[in-house]
Amino acid sequence: MTAQTSHHDWPALGLEERQPGVLISTNDIVSYGGSAVDALKSYARSLPQRRARILLHGHESNALHEMLIVAPELTIWPPLLNERPPQSWHLIEGDLAFIKYAPPGEILDITLLSARSHT
C-alpha cells in the first residue's frame, strides 16, 4: 500500500490498489455500499487530483466496463476518443452532463444525469 492509502483497508473491502486513484475489485460478485463509498470518498480527497475509482469489470478485456467513480464538484474531464468497450453510467450522488462528440469536436448529444431524479 502507498502512504496515501495506508488509512484504508482495501483487502477487507475486496479491493486492490492498481495505481494511485484506481482500485480493482478482487471479488467475483461485486457489491459495494456505504462503507466502500465512504472509503473511496476519503481516498479521493487525499489524492492530488481529488478523484478515485473502483473498476468493477474485473479485466480490461471484458465487454462492458463499469466503474464506481468519486470526483469533486465541478470536475471536468476533457473530451477523448473512446474506442474501448462500452461503458455503463449510474449516478449515486450529484449531477453529470455526459457530452457525446464526433471528430473533430462536433457535439452529437448531451445527456443530463441527476441522482436526485431517482428519489
Side-chain angles (χ1 to χ4, degrees):
M1 250 185 247
T2 66
Q4 290 177 324
T5 62
S6 61
H7 60 285
H8 297 294
D9 186 8
W10 299 128
L13 294 171
L15 296 168
E16 177 182 298
E17 186 178 35
R18 178 177 279 181
Q19 64 189 49
V22 180
L23 304 164
I24 189 163
S25 175
T26 57
N27 298 328
D28 290 333
I29 298 176
V30 179
S31 175
Y32 292 108
S35 63
V37 172
D38 290 343
L40 191 62
K41 287 179 182 179
S42 173
Y43 178 41
R45 285 191 294 271
S46 77
L47 297 169
Q49 73 270 25
R50 308 211 19 97
R51 61 181 182 256
R53 66 186 187 264
I54 298 173
L55 306 180
L56 304 173
H57 52 272
H59 193 270
E60 292 292 320
S61 65
N62 285 0
L64 178 65
H65 284 197
E66 294 187 290
M67 297 171 239
L68 177 57
I69 302 171
V70 170
E73 200 170 332
L74 302 176
T75 296
I76 297 173
W77 278 281
L80 59 94
L81 181 59
N82 191 349
E83 295 177 347
R84 296 180 182 178
Q87 299 176 1
S88 173
W89 297 81
H90 307 277
L91 226 53
I92 297 171
E93 293 179 5
D95 303 300
L96 172 73
F98 184 80
I99 304 170
K100 186 176 181 181
Y101 292 92
E106 172 191 354
I107 294 176
L108 296 176
D109 186 43
I110 299 175
T111 302
L112 301 176
L113 302 175
S114 175
R116 292 175 285 200
S117 65
H118 299 292
T119 58

